[in-house]
Amino acid sequence: MIESFIQVNGYRVKVYSLNTVIVGSGAAGLNAADRLYSYGQKDIAIVTEDIRGGTSRNTGSDKQTYYKLTLSGNEPDSVKELAETLFAGQCVDGDLALCEAALSAECFFRLVELGVPFPRSRYGEFVGYKTDHDPKRRATSAGPYTSKFMTECLEKAVKQKNIRIFDRHQVIKILARDGKAYGLLCLDLENIDDPNKRYVAFNCKNIIYATGGPAGIYADSVYPEGHYGATGIAFEAGVIGKNLTEWQYGLASIKPRWNVSGTYMQVLPTFISTDQNGYDEREFLNEFFTNKGDMLTKIFLKGYQWPFDVRKVENGSSIIDILVYIERCIKGRRVFLDFRRNPGGGEIDFSILAPEAREYLERAGATFGTPIDRLMHMNPLAVSFYKEHGVDLKEEPLEIALCAQHNNGGLSVDMWWQTNVEGFFAVGEVSGTHGVYRPGGSALNAGQVGSMRAAQYIAAKRNGDPVDVEEFSRAIGETMIAAVSMGEALLKGPENNVDEIWKDVTQKMSRVGAAIRDIEGIKEMIKDIKCKLDNFIGIARISTARQLAKAFRLYDILICQYVYLSAMANYIENGGKSRGSALYTDKNGTCPYEGLPEIFKYTLDDGSKADVIQEVLFKDGECTFNWRKVREIPEEDDFFENVWRGFRENGNIY
Ligand SMILES: Cc1cc2nc3c(=O)[nH]c(=O)nc-3n(C[C@H](O)[C@H](O)[C@H](O)COP(=O)(O)OP(=O)(O)OC[C@H]3O[C@@H](n4cnc5c(N)ncnc54)[C@H](O)[C@@H]3O)c2cc1C
């Protein structure tokens, strides 16, 4: 790594020149760095806004799942079968599914060797369980904090190799030109007050972008606090997005952010809503359901049917998500789970539950008392979790919302996780390798596989130094000047209105472009965001340099919202119907229940778009779309001697 300085708009900017920069220190970014070093490319560094930040490090769930090839028992499994399961999620590229299947065991064992405590039997079998969209029992878990353990073990490995980590560096611009990546411009968050240290540039041949899901676009989110992603600036640099319409939303508490899945629902809490000040309490589910047994059964089922699934609205548990959405997003009320009393008050008559729910609770010995009594009986750790995070479920209700949890789509990549911008690789959740549905746990597998593939490719094919600093300045000098000038213009103050704009646009996004999507609302918001983007410097104001980080982030969020909303509008205009975790209002559709507002009229997708992928390019402030067929799962000559010859003679796996 070579250090030098350049002048940008009168600012002295330090430039680090090196082969590869990895952006992000989640499970995907850390693995990319660790692998790249092991493969022999040591001229690398990690750039991260916060080494302790991100989703992998700070999130979890009841039993956080890792999906992998079957590694136990007598149930047959194969790379091809796993690839087919991933491919069956709809709108998935087959080559990526095959890679994620083929490298699954290798990535999993690496984590085991690094110390992630995945449970195994006394004979060494990594016994699995069945997760959603899983025809086998391929899932495993190291407990509620699987991804946290992964980052801890990977960080240790990275530190043992003395890989340089630029912590507290926020990437604000991807420096690319003519379809080629040149580097990055960052804010040094520790030196933000010093104009001559504030900006830092990286001149590199390769970027492995591992910035996670674009959580910042939503207000109602179960992504960890402080995690925003940075997909918008990748679009700005010309990186193509794919399957952006495909997300997972579900019920989660908002303080702390945590999925209220599993036992939290199976113990049948009471759903209440209040006005913004906590008054006018109502048990809104009671007002909707005419049959109490049906209501209790649907609450119960929400426990293991966690993500909102539009196929489960009619006669299914996803109606609960909709009712929560109506209270919060349409009526503007707050919604809580109260574990201190049973729905409707008094005792529960468990005989009115459907057999599936009743028998489960009977077997668990939990047909007594109040929800908190049952929760203490079935899963006391679920109670202590909230206690540790400042909410005593025995004393107070828990505020919830229908929250964004995972983006199945993202940046479009090839089979080495390189994007259409040469030298720019996208790995982990920021890349979009999943489709409409995916097996639970496959996100963590995909992050490990993608980061390994990118590292392999760079080590084999993209060695060497970046361009010299003069050429770097020539190529992307104007882009840097534009970014620095934007920062200066924002700093004009006197007051800061970034938080206000942020709150407004993220709340709107949760109402308009999340689980419930209505073309009118989407179009209106696109117009509003476009106006904000086009006049960003005129609209946004900050009063101190410390607020630059948030202002640049807001800019990223606005681009991202614009592109995601445009993708939703384009999907609808192309005849797209409700699928996955999204209900698209269709005035000609049917309303699943009498009395629901018009926006809940919808038509279920018939699967006719399952083999086509929507891609989007953001250029000169506009989005252009391309619908293409999925790439099928490759069927290649797998005769060993032939594969070996190819591999031996010229390493032609690349
Ligand atoms: C509540 C919840 C439960 C989940 N449960 C599961 C599960 O059971 N199984 C499963 O497979 N998946 C699950 N997921 C999804 C999974 O956890 C994530 O997809 C995965 O952890 C993402 O890892 P990542 O490395 O891609 O990104 P992250 O871990 O989010 O890391 C992103 C990194 O990028 C950095 N960064 C971002 N922007 C910038 C910038 N501009 N400049 C510098 N650095 C930046 C961040 O600081 C961070 O270090 C869950 C997610 C949530 C929210």
Side-chain angles (χ1 to χ4, degrees):
M1 189 180 337
I2 298 170
E3 293 180 25
S4 48
F5 289 92
I6 54 172
Q7 289 290 325
V8 180
N9 241 17
Y11 288 89
R12 191 173 138 93
V13 174
K14 195 176 216 180
V15 182
Y16 295 92
S17 298
L18 68 170
N19 176 267
T20 301
V21 173
I22 298 109
V23 185
S25 54
L30 290 167
N31 189 53
D34 185 49
R35 293 282 187 178
L36 200 43
Y37 188 98
S38 307
Y39 297 146
Q41 179 50 264
K42 297 179 178 164
D43 189 18
I44 64 175
I46 294 174
V47 168
T48 181
E49 64 187 324
D50 180 5
I51 186 80
R52 297 271 168 269
T55 307
S56 323
R57 177 82 63 163
N58 296 290
T59 203
S61 60
D62 247 15
K63 195 161 70 180
Q64 201 189 10
T65 304
Y66 191 100
Y67 199 63
K68 46 136 198 56
L69 194 70
T70 305
L71 296 168
S72 67
N74 59 2
E75 200 173 355
D77 199 0
S78 68
V79 166
K80 183 73 187 288
E81 278 179 272
L82 175 50
E84 279 167 354
T85 302
L86 298 171
F87 189 65
Q90 299 184 21
C91 311
V92 174
D93 279 317
D95 52 352
L96 301 178
L98 184 56
C99 293
E100 287 177 4
L103 275 69
S104 159
E106 190 175 354
C107 288
F108 175 73
F109 284 129
R110 171 82 179 129
L111 292 171
V112 171
E113 278 173 17
L114 287 178
V116 180
F118 286 114
R120 61 166 102 194
S121 74
R122 70 166 103 171
Y123 302 105
E125 290 182 283
F126 289 97
V127 177
Y129 59 89
K130 201 172 157 76
T131 177
D132 44 331
H133 307 298
D134 171 22
K136 309 255 174 194
R137 287 186 303 153
R138 295 189 180 118
T140 184
S141 171
Y145 297 111
T146 303
S147 60
K148 180 169 185 280
F149 291 146
M150 287 165 63
T151 52
E152 285 166 357
C153 292
L154 287 162
E155 185 189 342
K156 203 163 136 200
V158 161
K159 289 200 165 147
Q160 274 165 358
K161 296 182 175 68
N162 285 322
I163 295 171
R164 177 99 185 250
I165 299 174
F166 290 86
D167 194 11
R168 307 275 299 139
H169 281 62
Q170 178 183 329
V171 176
I172 53 167
K173 204 78 161 179
I174 292 158
L175 305 171
R177 187 174 161 177
D178 302 331
K180 185 175 162 191
Y182 283 88
L184 303 155
L185 182 66
C186 300
L187 284 178
D188 179 346
L189 302 176
E190 289 298 326
N191 288 297
I192 199 94
D193 292 323
D194 182 343
N196 284 317
K197 289 189 177 164
R198 181 179 299 160
Y199 295 103
V200 173
F202 291 86
N203 165 30
C204 54
K205 189 163 176 171
N206 307 292
I207 297 164
I208 302 185
Y209 208 57
T211 49
I217 64 175
Y218 290 116
D220 292 348
S221 160
V222 64
Y223 285 89
E225 212 65 72
H227 172 72
Y228 309 115
T231 307
I233 52 174
F235 292 141
E236 188 192 35
V239 181
I240 288 175
K242 168 184 167 192
N243 283 337
L244 300 186
T245 49
E246 307 312 314
W247 283 79
Q248 277 188 349
Y249 308 96
L251 295 183
S253 57
I254 53 180
K255 222 174 191 173
R257 293 179 172 195
W258 197 248
N259 294 353
V260 285
S261 56
T263 28
Y264 291 112
M265 288 292 152
Q266 288 166 330
V267 300
L268 308 174
T270 299
F271 283 68
I272 55 172
S273 72
T274 69
D275 64 19
Q276 284 300 322
N277 301 319
Y279 299 112
D280 186 28
E281 186 178 305
R282 290 219 307 270
E283 258 197 65
F284 60 97
L285 294 188
N286 277 348
E287 294 166 11
F288 177 81
F289 284 97
T290 47
N291 178 328
K292 189 167 179 188
D294 184 34
M295 177 183 89
L296 294 175
T297 302
K298 289 195 166 100
I299 297 174
F300 175 89
L301 290 176
K302 197 91 276 286
Y304 53 84
Q305 298 176 349
W306 184 79
F308 171 70
D309 182 344
V310 71
R311 295 169 308 181
K312 297 193 183 100
V313 171
E314 191 166 3
N315 297 322
S317 59
S318 287
I319 182 63
I320 304 283
D321 302 273
I322 287 191
L323 296 172
V324 170
Y325 174 90
I326 291 174
E327 290 302 300
R328 186 173 164 88
C329 299
I330 298 182
K331 297 186 182 164
R333 293 167 63 81
R334 298 171 70 188
V335 181
F336 300 85
L337 295 181
D338 194 339
F339 290 87
R340 299 166 301 175
R341 58 186 153 124
N342 286 314
E347 298 279 303
I348 287 186
D349 173 5
F350 289 92
S351 71
I352 62 173
L353 269 70
E356 184 181 2
R358 191 187 63 243
E359 284 163 17
Y360 186 96
L361 290 171
E362 280 170 358
R363 281 183 67 181
T367 48
F368 67 94
T370 58
I372 189 70
D373 297 332
R374 296 190 284 278
L375 194 55
M376 283 301 290
H377 172 71
M378 283 169 67
N379 188 357
L381 291 177
V383 180
S384 38
F385 168 81
Y386 276 108
K387 188 92 195 266
E388 283 157 20
H389 290 83
V391 183
D392 186 350
L393 299 181
K394 292 178 183 162
E395 301 292 334
E396 58 195 311
L398 178 68
E399 185 159 12
I400 61 162
L402 180 56
C403 291
Q405 188 230 19
H406 185 264
N407 189 195
N408 288 358
L411 302 177
S412 189
V413 293
D414 68 11
M415 60 183 260
W416 294 101
W417 271 252
Q418 189 169 200
T419 67
N420 59 305
V421 173
E422 187 196 324
F424 189 87
F425 297 74
V427 305
E429 194 177 327
V430 72
S431 66
T433 63
H434 312 284
V436 182
Y437 300 98
R438 62 175 182 86
S442 57
L444 291 176
N445 176 67
Q448 296 304 285
V449 171
S451 47
M452 177 175 170
R453 290 287 284 187
Q456 278 181 326
Y457 189 83
I458 290 170
K461 290 289 188 192
R462 295 190 54 85
N463 272 314
D465 297 329
V467 296
D468 61 39
V469 176
E470 284 72 34
E471 192 183 336
F472 175 71
S473 289
R474 252 195 321 274
I476 44 71
E478 276 178 27
T479 317
M480 285 204 281
I481 290 172
V484 170
S485 314
M486 184 167 110
E488 275 171 19
L490 292 169
L491 259 169
K492 65 187 174 296
E495 79 281 23
N496 169 13
N497 66 354
V498 163
D499 290 326
E500 195 186 309
I501 302 174
W502 182 299
K503 190 171 168 202
D504 175 54
V505 296
T506 55
Q507 281 186 350
K508 275 193 189 138
M509 188 74 186
S510 286
R511 274 133 196 77
V512 165
I516 313 300
R517 302 176 186 172
D518 167 35
I519 188 72
E520 306 303 329
I522 289 173
K523 280 192 168 161
E524 203 177 298
M525 185 160 177
I526 289 175
K527 228 193 275 170
D528 176 36
I529 300 294
K530 173 97 178 108
C531 177
K532 288 194 165 68
L533 265 178
D534 290 348
N535 303 298
F536 189 68
I537 291 175
I539 291 173
R541 292 183 298 274
I542 49 176
S543 49
T544 70
R546 299 207 154 254
Q547 293 154 351
L548 271 172
K550 197 141 191 202
F552 274 107
R553 199 104 228 180
L554 175 63
Y555 181 68
D556 168 83
I557 284 175
L558 290 173
I559 298 176
C560 206
Q561 288 180 329
Y562 180 72
V563 179
Y564 272 75
L565 287 164
S566 300
M568 291 170 198
N570 175 263
Y571 174 77
I572 300 169
E573 282 155 6
N574 276 271
K577 302 292 179 205
S578 297
R579 67 180 185 186
S581 217
L583 184 154
Y584 292 89
T585 306
D586 178 357
K587 291 199 174 81
N588 301 317
T590 48
C591 196
Y593 298 89
E594 220 177 282
L596 281 185
E598 279 276 296
I599 61 157
F600 297 104
K601 267 190 168 178
Y602 67 95
T603 307
L604 276 185
D605 168 57
D606 60 2
S608 56
K609 285 190 159 39
D611 64 347
V612 283
I613 285 176
Q614 183 207 49
E615 289 189 323
V616 53
L617 176 68
F618 175 72
K619 199 172 173 205
D620 301 327
E622 300 294 336
C623 291
T624 45
F625 291 90
N626 172 38
W627 287 80
R628 64 162 173 87
K629 281 266 177 205
V630 295
R631 303 191 291 263
E632 295 293 326
I633 299 178
E635 297 279 354
E636 282 192 6
D637 176 11
D638 63 353
F639 182 63
F640 181 78
E641 303 304 333
N642 295 346
V643 173
W644 190 17
R645 189 177 324 107
F647 181 74
R648 209 174 53 221
E649 283 174 3
N650 52 5
N652 70 355
I653 62 165
Y654 296 101

